[in-house]
Amino acid sequence: MRRPDLSALAVGLTIVFLGVLLLLQENGSIDLEGGWLLAGVTACAGGALLASGLGARDT
Amino acid sequence: MAENEKGKQPEAESAAEKPRPRRLLRSSGDRMLWGVAGGLGEYLRIDPTLVRLGFAAATIFGGFGVIAYLVMAVVVPEDDGTGKPREGRRPPTWAIVLLALAVLVALPGPLWGWGWHHDGGWPWWGFFGPLWLIFLIVAGFLVVRAMRRGRPFRGRREAAQDSADATTTQAATAETSERGDEPPRAVRAIALIVLALAAICAAATVAACAAWATATGNGEVVAGVVIAIGVAIAATAFIADARRIAPWLLAAALVLGLPAGAMAAADIRFDGGIGDREYRPAALTDLPADGYDFGVGQMIVDLRDLHWTDGQTVSLSSELGIGQMIVSVPPNVCVDADATGKAGELLVRGETSDGVDLEIDQSQPQGKAPRLDLDAQIQLGQLTVTDRDPIAVEEHDVSDEERAEELNSEREACSR
């Protein structure tokens, strides 16, 4: 079995988390204040970019 | 001396055997029209299908894909099948310069900072227009520079180094002649800048669509697409081409997710349509129970035809996303408004609030005069509550004198 690319996996899961965060906020399941939501969104984006960059460095 | 001659010989041979620099050429083998996408794919070492999708996206979202493709079809030479430009196909420099100028002139007006100054348009385009253009050109330049660092074209210094390495006049002449077949560096730079412009414009348009969808209550769709892309990225971890595909998917997810998140965080909503709306209720029963709600544009609520009686209180709520809202009442009506806005200007019977986080919260005493309890919200734009004709408000700004008159009129009505 092929060993999965961990950086791609981390990037994918981070983006899924970003999407879930947006989805929950939109349908009202959570009600984050603007600042917290923005912090969460940028943290997800930053995490995904970081994982992608680390993966590229290891290539 | 003889040893020196011998020492130089292998160097000259290795210089002659050095692989030719990779060139941006239109593909003669992988082509659907003129081989631009195929050539770009070979040059950038990416799947030409992705390049074609990029051109298609840039064409749909703003039309830059067509311009970029046509420019590259003209200025990029065709591959003769051996990795060299086909002889005699290079356009003259003056034609290239004219084409570049034509593309710049053909750019939409807002990019130059004009065309959006009137009738409730976006006044900041007047300031940011030229900056946009400069930003795009600098971005294109950085793309070219980054690509040069990775591989591509040889600069003057490298070319001079090659010439110094050449040991015979014949070899130097042959090298110069060979380089003469290459398209000028300026041409390739223009092509890459135009491609970068197309990509940036396409990304900006997709981001705007995501923001728009979120603001109009369709954020769940955007979130669903972002989740799907995330799952796709995670799935690429189990296939061989993960490192090639994942960055593109990541870029798409961020272009969609970040603006959607920003709009959700700012709680900017504009439901209710786009354009101009004018409401002129003649009786109280004409007033909608849940108030007036409009998305983007101009909304006029003219209440001067209502039959107002002393001691009567009329409650009304109205919401606007982006644009201008004008509420007109008769001069004898006391307005008790609770108006808020994210950014722009509120003008309520002479009282003003402008900038960001706008609020006017009046607490008028209950008197004999008819009264309007107004709950008004705007996201971005202008709210005017006045006793004048909405058309007059629309046609010119309210002067200080008119504002003072309205304030006096309001005080007089509310003190009855």
mmCIF file with all atom_site columns, all heavy atoms in Angstrom, chain A residues 2 4-5 7-8 12 15-16 22 26-27 34 37 55 59, chain B residues 214 220 223 226-227 230-231 233 237-239 243 261 265 269:
data_model
loop_
_atom_site.group_PDB
_atom_site.id
_atom_site.type_symbol
_atom_site.label_atom_id
_atom_site.label_alt_id
_atom_site.label_comp_id
_atom_site.label_asym_id
_atom_site.label_entity_id
_atom_site.label_seq_id
_atom_site.pdbx_PDB_ins_code
_atom_site.Cartn_x
_atom_site.Cartn_y
_atom_site.Cartn_z
_atom_site.occupancy
_atom_site.B_iso_or_equiv
_atom_site.pdbx_formal_charge
_atom_site.auth_seq_id
_atom_site.auth_comp_id
_atom_site.auth_asym_id
_atom_site.auth_atom_id
_atom_site.pdbx_PDB_model_num
ATOM 1   N N   . ARG A 1 2   ? 0.486   2.192  -0.830 1.00 0.00 ? 2   ARG A N   1
ATOM 2   C CA  . ARG A 1 2   ? 1.268   3.420  -0.957 1.00 0.00 ? 2   ARG A CA  1
ATOM 3   C C   . ARG A 1 2   ? 1.146   4.273  0.307  1.00 0.00 ? 2   ARG A C   1
ATOM 4   O O   . ARG A 1 2   ? 0.060   4.409  0.866  1.00 0.00 ? 2   ARG A O   1
ATOM 5   C CB  . ARG A 1 2   ? 0.741   4.204  -2.154 1.00 0.00 ? 2   ARG A CB  1
ATOM 6   C CG  . ARG A 1 2   ? 1.600   5.371  -2.514 1.00 0.00 ? 2   ARG A CG  1
ATOM 7   C CD  . ARG A 1 2   ? 1.042   6.090  -3.734 1.00 0.00 ? 2   ARG A CD  1
ATOM 8   N NE  . ARG A 1 2   ? 1.920   7.168  -4.112 1.00 0.00 ? 2   ARG A NE  1
ATOM 9   C CZ  . ARG A 1 2   ? 1.952   8.340  -3.521 1.00 0.00 ? 2   ARG A CZ  1
ATOM 10  N NH1 . ARG A 1 2   ? 1.164   8.585  -2.518 1.00 0.00 ? 2   ARG A NH1 1
ATOM 11  N NH2 . ARG A 1 2   ? 2.788   9.280  -3.917 1.00 0.00 ? 2   ARG A NH2 1
ATOM 12  N N   . PRO A 1 4   ? 0.602   7.453  2.342  1.00 0.00 ? 4   PRO A N   1
ATOM 13  C CA  . PRO A 1 4   ? -0.074  8.711  1.963  1.00 0.00 ? 4   PRO A CA  1
ATOM 14  C C   . PRO A 1 4   ? 0.840   9.915  2.163  1.00 0.00 ? 4   PRO A C   1
ATOM 15  O O   . PRO A 1 4   ? 1.733   9.904  3.015  1.00 0.00 ? 4   PRO A O   1
ATOM 16  C CB  . PRO A 1 4   ? -1.271  8.769  2.900  1.00 0.00 ? 4   PRO A CB  1
ATOM 17  C CG  . PRO A 1 4   ? -0.928  7.883  4.030  1.00 0.00 ? 4   PRO A CG  1
ATOM 18  C CD  . PRO A 1 4   ? -0.015  6.838  3.513  1.00 0.00 ? 4   PRO A CD  1
ATOM 19  N N   . ASP A 1 5   ? 0.601   10.935 1.348  1.00 0.00 ? 5   ASP A N   1
ATOM 20  C CA  . ASP A 1 5   ? 1.342   12.193 1.469  1.00 0.00 ? 5   ASP A CA  1
ATOM 21  C C   . ASP A 1 5   ? 0.749   12.969 2.656  1.00 0.00 ? 5   ASP A C   1
ATOM 22  O O   . ASP A 1 5   ? -0.361  13.504 2.583  1.00 0.00 ? 5   ASP A O   1
ATOM 23  C CB  . ASP A 1 5   ? 1.175   12.975 0.156  1.00 0.00 ? 5   ASP A CB  1
ATOM 24  C CG  . ASP A 1 5   ? 1.978   14.270 0.181  1.00 0.00 ? 5   ASP A CG  1
ATOM 25  O OD1 . ASP A 1 5   ? 2.198   14.796 1.278  1.00 0.00 ? 5   ASP A OD1 1
ATOM 26  O OD2 . ASP A 1 5   ? 2.367   14.736 -0.905 1.00 0.00 ? 5   ASP A OD2 1
ATOM 27  N N   . SER A 1 7   ? 1.469   15.782 4.095  1.00 0.00 ? 7   SER A N   1
ATOM 28  C CA  . SER A 1 7   ? 1.222   17.234 3.987  1.00 0.00 ? 7   SER A CA  1
ATOM 29  C C   . SER A 1 7   ? -0.077  17.496 3.229  1.00 0.00 ? 7   SER A C   1
ATOM 30  O O   . SER A 1 7   ? -0.883  18.340 3.624  1.00 0.00 ? 7   SER A O   1
ATOM 31  C CB  . SER A 1 7   ? 2.389   17.933 3.303  1.00 0.00 ? 7   SER A CB  1
ATOM 32  O OG  . SER A 1 7   ? 2.462   17.577 1.951  1.00 0.00 ? 7   SER A OG  1
ATOM 33  N N   . ALA A 1 8   ? -0.313  16.719 2.159  1.00 0.00 ? 8   ALA A N   1
ATOM 34  C CA  . ALA A 1 8   ? -1.572  16.893 1.411  1.00 0.00 ? 8   ALA A CA  1
ATOM 35  C C   . ALA A 1 8   ? -2.761  16.525 2.286  1.00 0.00 ? 8   ALA A C   1
ATOM 36  O O   . ALA A 1 8   ? -3.808  17.181 2.248  1.00 0.00 ? 8   ALA A O   1
ATOM 37  C CB  . ALA A 1 8   ? -1.552  16.047 0.141  1.00 0.00 ? 8   ALA A CB  1
ATOM 38  N N   . GLY A 1 12  ? -5.686  19.069 3.269  1.00 0.00 ? 12  GLY A N   1
ATOM 39  C CA  . GLY A 1 12  ? -7.075  18.729 2.970  1.00 0.00 ? 12  GLY A CA  1
ATOM 40  C C   . GLY A 1 12  ? -7.960  18.806 4.202  1.00 0.00 ? 12  GLY A C   1
ATOM 41  O O   . GLY A 1 12  ? -9.043  19.393 4.165  1.00 0.00 ? 12  GLY A O   1
ATOM 42  N N   . ILE A 1 15  ? -8.591  22.380 5.241  1.00 0.00 ? 15  ILE A N   1
ATOM 43  C CA  . ILE A 1 15  ? -9.588  23.043 4.379  1.00 0.00 ? 15  ILE A CA  1
ATOM 44  C C   . ILE A 1 15  ? -10.989 22.528 4.689  1.00 0.00 ? 15  ILE A C   1
ATOM 45  O O   . ILE A 1 15  ? -11.959 23.297 4.700  1.00 0.00 ? 15  ILE A O   1
ATOM 46  C CB  . ILE A 1 15  ? -9.227  22.810 2.888  1.00 0.00 ? 15  ILE A CB  1
ATOM 47  C CG1 . ILE A 1 15  ? -7.938  23.552 2.526  1.00 0.00 ? 15  ILE A CG1 1
ATOM 48  C CG2 . ILE A 1 15  ? -10.355 23.281 1.976  1.00 0.00 ? 15  ILE A CG2 1
ATOM 49  C CD1 . ILE A 1 15  ? -8.007  25.056 2.694  1.00 0.00 ? 15  ILE A CD1 1
ATOM 50  N N   . VAL A 1 16  ? -11.096 21.228 4.965  1.00 0.00 ? 16  VAL A N   1
ATOM 51  C CA  . VAL A 1 16  ? -12.411 20.689 5.364  1.00 0.00 ? 16  VAL A CA  1
ATOM 52  C C   . VAL A 1 16  ? -12.883 21.383 6.637  1.00 0.00 ? 16  VAL A C   1
ATOM 53  O O   . VAL A 1 16  ? -14.057 21.774 6.758  1.00 0.00 ? 16  VAL A O   1
ATOM 54  C CB  . VAL A 1 16  ? -12.320 19.157 5.574  1.00 0.00 ? 16  VAL A CB  1
ATOM 55  C CG1 . VAL A 1 16  ? -13.573 18.642 6.260  1.00 0.00 ? 16  VAL A CG1 1
ATOM 56  C CG2 . VAL A 1 16  ? -12.138 18.448 4.234  1.00 0.00 ? 16  VAL A CG2 1
ATOM 57  N N   . LEU A 1 22  ? -17.375 27.465 8.252  1.00 0.00 ? 22  LEU A N   1
ATOM 58  C CA  . LEU A 1 22  ? -18.243 28.384 7.508  1.00 0.00 ? 22  LEU A CA  1
ATOM 59  C C   . LEU A 1 22  ? -19.680 27.855 7.455  1.00 0.00 ? 22  LEU A C   1
ATOM 60  O O   . LEU A 1 22  ? -20.641 28.609 7.616  1.00 0.00 ? 22  LEU A O   1
ATOM 61  C CB  . LEU A 1 22  ? -17.714 28.569 6.075  1.00 0.00 ? 22  LEU A CB  1
ATOM 62  C CG  . LEU A 1 22  ? -16.430 29.378 5.926  1.00 0.00 ? 22  LEU A CG  1
ATOM 63  C CD1 . LEU A 1 22  ? -15.966 29.373 4.471  1.00 0.00 ? 22  LEU A CD1 1
ATOM 64  C CD2 . LEU A 1 22  ? -16.653 30.813 6.372  1.00 0.00 ? 22  LEU A CD2 1
ATOM 65  N N   . GLU A 1 26  ? -22.968 29.608 8.925  1.00 0.00 ? 26  GLU A N   1
ATOM 66  C CA  . GLU A 1 26  ? -24.023 30.039 8.000  1.00 0.00 ? 26  GLU A CA  1
ATOM 67  C C   . GLU A 1 26  ? -25.386 29.483 8.386  1.00 0.00 ? 26  GLU A C   1
ATOM 68  O O   . GLU A 1 26  ? -26.384 30.177 8.271  1.00 0.00 ? 26  GLU A O   1
ATOM 69  C CB  . GLU A 1 26  ? -23.674 29.598 6.574  1.00 0.00 ? 26  GLU A CB  1
ATOM 70  C CG  . GLU A 1 26  ? -22.641 30.466 5.898  1.00 0.00 ? 26  GLU A CG  1
ATOM 71  C CD  . GLU A 1 26  ? -23.097 31.902 5.778  1.00 0.00 ? 26  GLU A CD  1
ATOM 72  O OE1 . GLU A 1 26  ? -24.218 32.130 5.299  1.00 0.00 ? 26  GLU A OE1 1
ATOM 73  O OE2 . GLU A 1 26  ? -22.345 32.810 6.181  1.00 0.00 ? 26  GLU A OE2 1
ATOM 74  N N   . ASN A 1 27  ? -25.418 28.211 8.831  1.00 0.00 ? 27  ASN A N   1
ATOM 75  C CA  . ASN A 1 27  ? -26.750 27.661 9.162  1.00 0.00 ? 27  ASN A CA  1
ATOM 76  C C   . ASN A 1 27  ? -27.140 27.897 10.615 1.00 0.00 ? 27  ASN A C   1
ATOM 77  O O   . ASN A 1 27  ? -28.164 27.399 11.077 1.00 0.00 ? 27  ASN A O   1
ATOM 78  C CB  . ASN A 1 27  ? -26.858 26.179 8.774  1.00 0.00 ? 27  ASN A CB  1
ATOM 79  C CG  . ASN A 1 27  ? -25.983 25.287 9.633  1.00 0.00 ? 27  ASN A CG  1
ATOM 80  O OD1 . ASN A 1 27  ? -25.532 25.698 10.692 1.00 0.00 ? 27  ASN A OD1 1
ATOM 81  N ND2 . ASN A 1 27  ? -25.719 24.085 9.166  1.00 0.00 ? 27  ASN A ND2 1
ATOM 82  N N   . GLY A 1 34  ? -17.727 38.290 15.009 1.00 0.00 ? 34  GLY A N   1
ATOM 83  C CA  . GLY A 1 34  ? -16.965 38.544 13.780 1.00 0.00 ? 34  GLY A CA  1
ATOM 84  C C   . GLY A 1 34  ? -15.473 38.321 13.929 1.00 0.00 ? 34  GLY A C   1
ATOM 85  O O   . GLY A 1 34  ? -14.834 37.686 13.101 1.00 0.00 ? 34  GLY A O   1
ATOM 86  N N   . LEU A 1 37  ? -14.563 34.583 14.296 1.00 0.00 ? 37  LEU A N   1
ATOM 87  C CA  . LEU A 1 37  ? -14.736 33.857 13.034 1.00 0.00 ? 37  LEU A CA  1
ATOM 88  C C   . LEU A 1 37  ? -13.599 34.186 12.067 1.00 0.00 ? 37  LEU A C   1
ATOM 89  O O   . LEU A 1 37  ? -13.024 33.295 11.433 1.00 0.00 ? 37  LEU A O   1
ATOM 90  C CB  . LEU A 1 37  ? -16.087 34.219 12.403 1.00 0.00 ? 37  LEU A CB  1
ATOM 91  C CG  . LEU A 1 37  ? -16.387 33.521 11.088 1.00 0.00 ? 37  LEU A CG  1
ATOM 92  C CD1 . LEU A 1 37  ? -16.494 32.013 11.283 1.00 0.00 ? 37  LEU A CD1 1
ATOM 93  C CD2 . LEU A 1 37  ? -17.669 34.036 10.464 1.00 0.00 ? 37  LEU A CD2 1
ATOM 94  N N   . GLY A 1 55  ? 5.344   20.632 3.159  1.00 0.00 ? 55  GLY A N   1
ATOM 95  C CA  . GLY A 1 55  ? 5.347   19.492 2.247  1.00 0.00 ? 55  GLY A CA  1
ATOM 96  C C   . GLY A 1 55  ? 6.219   19.751 1.033  1.00 0.00 ? 55  GLY A C   1
ATOM 97  O O   . GLY A 1 55  ? 6.970   18.881 0.597  1.00 0.00 ? 55  GLY A O   1
ATOM 98  N N   . THR A 1 59  ? 10.071  17.922 -0.434 1.00 0.00 ? 59  THR A N   1
ATOM 99  C CA  . THR A 1 59  ? 10.133  17.236 -1.729 1.00 0.00 ? 59  THR A CA  1
ATOM 100 C C   . THR A 1 59  ? 11.568  17.105 -2.223 1.00 0.00 ? 59  THR A C   1
ATOM 101 O O   . THR A 1 59  ? 12.308  18.046 -2.177 1.00 0.00 ? 59  THR A O   1
ATOM 102 C CB  . THR A 1 59  ? 9.316   18.015 -2.774 1.00 0.00 ? 59  THR A CB  1
ATOM 103 O OG1 . THR A 1 59  ? 8.004   18.191 -2.301 1.00 0.00 ? 59  THR A OG1 1
ATOM 104 C CG2 . THR A 1 59  ? 9.292   17.253 -4.090 1.00 0.00 ? 59  THR A CG2 1
ATOM 105 N N   . THR B 2 214 ? -22.181 34.611 -0.306 1.00 0.00 ? 214 THR B N   1
ATOM 106 C CA  . THR B 2 214 ? -22.316 34.593 1.158  1.00 0.00 ? 214 THR B CA  1
ATOM 107 C C   . THR B 2 214 ? -23.210 35.722 1.636  1.00 0.00 ? 214 THR B C   1
ATOM 108 O O   . THR B 2 214 ? -24.074 35.527 2.497  1.00 0.00 ? 214 THR B O   1
ATOM 109 C CB  . THR B 2 214 ? -20.929 34.702 1.806  1.00 0.00 ? 214 THR B CB  1
ATOM 110 O OG1 . THR B 2 214 ? -20.098 33.675 1.276  1.00 0.00 ? 214 THR B OG1 1
ATOM 111 C CG2 . THR B 2 214 ? -21.011 34.545 3.316  1.00 0.00 ? 214 THR B CG2 1
ATOM 112 N N   . GLU B 2 220 ? -23.886 28.735 2.514  1.00 0.00 ? 220 GLU B N   1
ATOM 113 C CA  . GLU B 2 220 ? -23.800 27.285 2.725  1.00 0.00 ? 220 GLU B CA  1
ATOM 114 C C   . GLU B 2 220 ? -23.298 26.581 1.469  1.00 0.00 ? 220 GLU B C   1
ATOM 115 O O   . GLU B 2 220 ? -22.593 25.574 1.551  1.00 0.00 ? 220 GLU B O   1
ATOM 116 C CB  . GLU B 2 220 ? -25.159 26.734 3.132  1.00 0.00 ? 220 GLU B CB  1
ATOM 117 C CG  . GLU B 2 220 ? -25.591 27.230 4.515  1.00 0.00 ? 220 GLU B CG  1
ATOM 118 C CD  . GLU B 2 220 ? -26.977 26.756 4.901  1.00 0.00 ? 220 GLU B CD  1
ATOM 119 O OE1 . GLU B 2 220 ? -27.509 25.870 4.217  1.00 0.00 ? 220 GLU B OE1 1
ATOM 120 O OE2 . GLU B 2 220 ? -27.526 27.276 5.881  1.00 0.00 ? 220 GLU B OE2 1
ATOM 121 N N   . ALA B 2 223 ? -19.588 27.137 1.414  1.00 0.00 ? 223 ALA B N   1
ATOM 122 C CA  . ALA B 2 223 ? -18.959 26.272 2.422  1.00 0.00 ? 223 ALA B CA  1
ATOM 123 C C   . ALA B 2 223 ? -18.918 24.824 1.928  1.00 0.00 ? 223 ALA B C   1
ATOM 124 O O   . ALA B 2 223 ? -17.917 24.122 2.113  1.00 0.00 ? 223 ALA B O   1
ATOM 125 C CB  . ALA B 2 223 ? -19.730 26.368 3.726  1.00 0.00 ? 223 ALA B CB  1
ATOM 126 N N   . VAL B 2 226 ? -16.134 24.438 -0.523 1.00 0.00 ? 226 VAL B N   1
ATOM 127 C CA  . VAL B 2 226 ? -14.841 24.436 0.171  1.00 0.00 ? 226 VAL B CA  1
ATOM 128 C C   . VAL B 2 226 ? -14.589 23.069 0.811  1.00 0.00 ? 226 VAL B C   1
ATOM 129 O O   . VAL B 2 226 ? -13.484 22.514 0.725  1.00 0.00 ? 226 VAL B O   1
ATOM 130 C CB  . VAL B 2 226 ? -14.795 25.563 1.233  1.00 0.00 ? 226 VAL B CB  1
ATOM 131 C CG1 . VAL B 2 226 ? -13.552 25.437 2.100  1.00 0.00 ? 226 VAL B CG1 1
ATOM 132 C CG2 . VAL B 2 226 ? -14.812 26.922 0.558  1.00 0.00 ? 226 VAL B CG2 1
ATOM 133 N N   . ILE B 2 227 ? -15.626 22.498 1.441  1.00 0.00 ? 227 ILE B N   1
ATOM 134 C CA  . ILE B 2 227 ? -15.471 21.166 2.051  1.00 0.00 ? 227 ILE B CA  1
ATOM 135 C C   . ILE B 2 227 ? -15.132 20.129 0.969  1.00 0.00 ? 227 ILE B C   1
ATOM 136 O O   . ILE B 2 227 ? -14.236 19.295 1.148  1.00 0.00 ? 227 ILE B O   1
ATOM 137 C CB  . ILE B 2 227 ? -16.768 20.757 2.791  1.00 0.00 ? 227 ILE B CB  1
ATOM 138 C CG1 . ILE B 2 227 ? -16.947 21.648 4.020  1.00 0.00 ? 227 ILE B CG1 1
ATOM 139 C CG2 . ILE B 2 227 ? -16.720 19.287 3.201  1.00 0.00 ? 227 ILE B CG2 1
ATOM 140 C CD1 . ILE B 2 227 ? -18.281 21.469 4.726  1.00 0.00 ? 227 ILE B CD1 1
ATOM 141 N N   . GLY B 2 230 ? -11.621 20.435 0.042  1.00 0.00 ? 230 GLY B N   1
ATOM 142 C CA  . GLY B 2 230 ? -10.777 19.888 1.106  1.00 0.00 ? 230 GLY B CA  1
ATOM 143 C C   . GLY B 2 230 ? -10.712 18.371 1.041  1.00 0.00 ? 230 GLY B C   1
ATOM 144 O O   . GLY B 2 230 ? -9.638  17.773 1.179  1.00 0.00 ? 230 GLY B O   1
ATOM 145 N N   . VAL B 2 231 ? -11.856 17.746 0.812  1.00 0.00 ? 231 VAL B N   1
ATOM 146 C CA  . VAL B 2 231 ? -11.884 16.273 0.689  1.00 0.00 ? 231 VAL B CA  1
ATOM 147 C C   . VAL B 2 231 ? -11.048 15.838 -0.515 1.00 0.00 ? 231 VAL B C   1
ATOM 148 O O   . VAL B 2 231 ? -10.294 14.861 -0.450 1.00 0.00 ? 231 VAL B O   1
ATOM 149 C CB  . VAL B 2 231 ? -13.344 15.784 0.553  1.00 0.00 ? 231 VAL B CB  1
ATOM 150 C CG1 . VAL B 2 231 ? -13.390 14.306 0.194  1.00 0.00 ? 231 VAL B CG1 1
ATOM 151 C CG2 . VAL B 2 231 ? -14.108 16.033 1.850  1.00 0.00 ? 231 VAL B CG2 1
ATOM 152 N N   . ILE B 2 233 ? -8.480  17.415 -1.785 1.00 0.00 ? 233 ILE B N   1
ATOM 153 C CA  . ILE B 2 233 ? -7.050  17.560 -1.458 1.00 0.00 ? 233 ILE B CA  1
ATOM 154 C C   . ILE B 2 233 ? -6.592  16.379 -0.603 1.00 0.00 ? 233 ILE B C   1
ATOM 155 O O   . ILE B 2 233 ? -5.528  15.794 -0.832 1.00 0.00 ? 233 ILE B O   1
ATOM 156 C CB  . ILE B 2 233 ? -6.800  18.890 -0.712 1.00 0.00 ? 233 ILE B CB  1
ATOM 157 C CG1 . ILE B 2 233 ? -7.072  20.077 -1.624 1.00 0.00 ? 233 ILE B CG1 1
ATOM 158 C CG2 . ILE B 2 233 ? -5.351  18.955 -0.217 1.00 0.00 ? 233 ILE B CG2 1
ATOM 159 C CD1 . ILE B 2 233 ? -6.993  21.428 -0.929 1.00 0.00 ? 233 ILE B CD1 1
ATOM 160 N N   . ALA B 2 237 ? -3.728  12.811 -1.342 1.00 0.00 ? 237 ALA B N   1
ATOM 161 C CA  . ALA B 2 237 ? -2.619  12.282 -0.535 1.00 0.00 ? 237 ALA B CA  1
ATOM 162 C C   . ALA B 2 237 ? -2.364  10.813 -0.849 1.00 0.00 ? 237 ALA B C   1
ATOM 163 O O   . ALA B 2 237 ? -1.284  10.303 -0.578 1.00 0.00 ? 237 ALA B O   1
ATOM 164 C CB  . ALA B 2 237 ? -2.947  12.445 0.950  1.00 0.00 ? 237 ALA B CB  1
ATOM 165 N N   . PHE B 2 238 ? -3.363  10.156 -1.432 1.00 0.00 ? 238 PHE B N   1
ATOM 166 C CA  . PHE B 2 238 ? -3.233  8.721  -1.687 1.00 0.00 ? 238 PHE B CA  1
ATOM 167 C C   . PHE B 2 238 ? -2.928  8.411  -3.143 1.00 0.00 ? 238 PHE B C   1
ATOM 168 O O   . PHE B 2 238 ? -2.907  7.254  -3.538 1.00 0.00 ? 238 PHE B O   1
ATOM 169 C CB  . PHE B 2 238 ? -4.523  8.006  -1.258 1.00 0.00 ? 238 PHE B CB  1
ATOM 170 C CG  . PHE B 2 238 ? -4.802  8.176  0.204  1.00 0.00 ? 238 PHE B CG  1
ATOM 171 C CD1 . PHE B 2 238 ? -5.633  9.196  0.650  1.00 0.00 ? 238 PHE B CD1 1
ATOM 172 C CD2 . PHE B 2 238 ? -4.207  7.346  1.136  1.00 0.00 ? 238 PHE B CD2 1
ATOM 173 C CE1 . PHE B 2 238 ? -5.875  9.368  2.002  1.00 0.00 ? 238 PHE B CE1 1
ATOM 174 C CE2 . PHE B 2 238 ? -4.450  7.511  2.491  1.00 0.00 ? 238 PHE B CE2 1
ATOM 175 C CZ  . PHE B 2 238 ? -5.281  8.531  2.929  1.00 0.00 ? 238 PHE B CZ  1
ATOM 176 N N   . ILE B 2 239 ? -2.715  9.452  -3.941 1.00 0.00 ? 239 ILE B N   1
ATOM 177 C CA  . ILE B 2 239 ? -2.361  9.189  -5.341 1.00 0.00 ? 239 ILE B CA  1
ATOM 178 C C   . ILE B 2 239 ? -0.986  9.771  -5.620 1.00 0.00 ? 239 ILE B C   1
ATOM 179 O O   . ILE B 2 239 ? -0.472  10.585 -4.855 1.00 0.00 ? 239 ILE B O   1
ATOM 180 C CB  . ILE B 2 239 ? -3.407  9.768  -6.323 1.00 0.00 ? 239 ILE B CB  1
ATOM 181 C CG1 . ILE B 2 239 ? -3.484  11.286 -6.192 1.00 0.00 ? 239 ILE B CG1 1
ATOM 182 C CG2 . ILE B 2 239 ? -4.765  9.149  -6.092 1.00 0.00 ? 239 ILE B CG2 1
ATOM 183 C CD1 . ILE B 2 239 ? -4.347  11.927 -7.241 1.00 0.00 ? 239 ILE B CD1 1
ATOM 184 N N   . ARG B 2 243 ? 1.477   16.194 -5.130 1.00 0.00 ? 243 ARG B N   1
ATOM 185 C CA  . ARG B 2 243 ? 2.195   17.462 -5.034 1.00 0.00 ? 243 ARG B CA  1
ATOM 186 C C   . ARG B 2 243 ? 1.921   18.364 -6.232 1.00 0.00 ? 243 ARG B C   1
ATOM 187 O O   . ARG B 2 243 ? 2.158   19.559 -6.190 1.00 0.00 ? 243 ARG B O   1
ATOM 188 C CB  . ARG B 2 243 ? 3.684   17.208 -4.891 1.00 0.00 ? 243 ARG B CB  1
ATOM 189 C CG  . ARG B 2 243 ? 4.017   16.472 -3.619 1.00 0.00 ? 243 ARG B CG  1
ATOM 190 C CD  . ARG B 2 243 ? 5.463   16.678 -3.230 1.00 0.00 ? 243 ARG B CD  1
ATOM 191 N NE  . ARG B 2 243 ? 5.832   15.824 -2.120 1.00 0.00 ? 243 ARG B NE  1
ATOM 192 C CZ  . ARG B 2 243 ? 5.533   16.051 -0.850 1.00 0.00 ? 243 ARG B CZ  1
ATOM 193 N NH1 . ARG B 2 243 ? 4.822   17.116 -0.544 1.00 0.00 ? 243 ARG B NH1 1
ATOM 194 N NH2 . ARG B 2 243 ? 5.913   15.234 0.094  1.00 0.00 ? 243 ARG B NH2 1
ATOM 195 N N   . GLY B 2 261 ? -15.515 33.833 4.298  1.00 0.00 ? 261 GLY B N   1
ATOM 196 C CA  . GLY B 2 261 ? -15.320 33.978 5.734  1.00 0.00 ? 261 GLY B CA  1
ATOM 197 C C   . GLY B 2 261 ? -15.318 35.433 6.157  1.00 0.00 ? 261 GLY B C   1
ATOM 198 O O   . GLY B 2 261 ? -15.876 35.794 7.202  1.00 0.00 ? 261 GLY B O   1
ATOM 199 N N   . ALA B 2 265 ? -17.862 37.052 8.701  1.00 0.00 ? 265 ALA B N   1
ATOM 200 C CA  . ALA B 2 265 ? -17.356 37.677 9.926  1.00 0.00 ? 265 ALA B CA  1
ATOM 201 C C   . ALA B 2 265 ? -17.849 39.115 10.058 1.00 0.00 ? 265 ALA B C   1
ATOM 202 O O   . ALA B 2 265 ? -18.166 39.572 11.152 1.00 0.00 ? 265 ALA B O   1
ATOM 203 C CB  . ALA B 2 265 ? -15.830 37.644 9.924  1.00 0.00 ? 265 ALA B CB  1
ATOM 204 N N   . ARG B 2 269 ? -24.947 41.337 4.911  1.00 0.00 ? 269 ARG B N   1
ATOM 205 C CA  . ARG B 2 269 ? -26.025 40.612 4.230  1.00 0.00 ? 269 ARG B CA  1
ATOM 206 C C   . ARG B 2 269 ? -26.764 41.581 3.323  1.00 0.00 ? 269 ARG B C   1
ATOM 207 O O   . ARG B 2 269 ? -27.087 42.687 3.733  1.00 0.00 ? 269 ARG B O   1
ATOM 208 C CB  . ARG B 2 269 ? -27.038 40.068 5.231  1.00 0.00 ? 269 ARG B CB  1
ATOM 209 C CG  . ARG B 2 269 ? -26.439 39.270 6.340  1.00 0.00 ? 269 ARG B CG  1
ATOM 210 C CD  . ARG B 2 269 ? -26.153 37.852 5.890  1.00 0.00 ? 269 ARG B CD  1
ATOM 211 N NE  . ARG B 2 269 ? -25.306 37.176 6.856  1.00 0.00 ? 269 ARG B NE  1
ATOM 212 C CZ  . ARG B 2 269 ? -24.619 36.074 6.599  1.00 0.00 ? 269 ARG B CZ  1
ATOM 213 N NH1 . ARG B 2 269 ? -24.655 35.543 5.401  1.00 0.00 ? 269 ARG B NH1 1
ATOM 214 N NH2 . ARG B 2 269 ? -23.882 35.508 7.501  1.00 0.00 ? 269 ARG B NH2 1
#
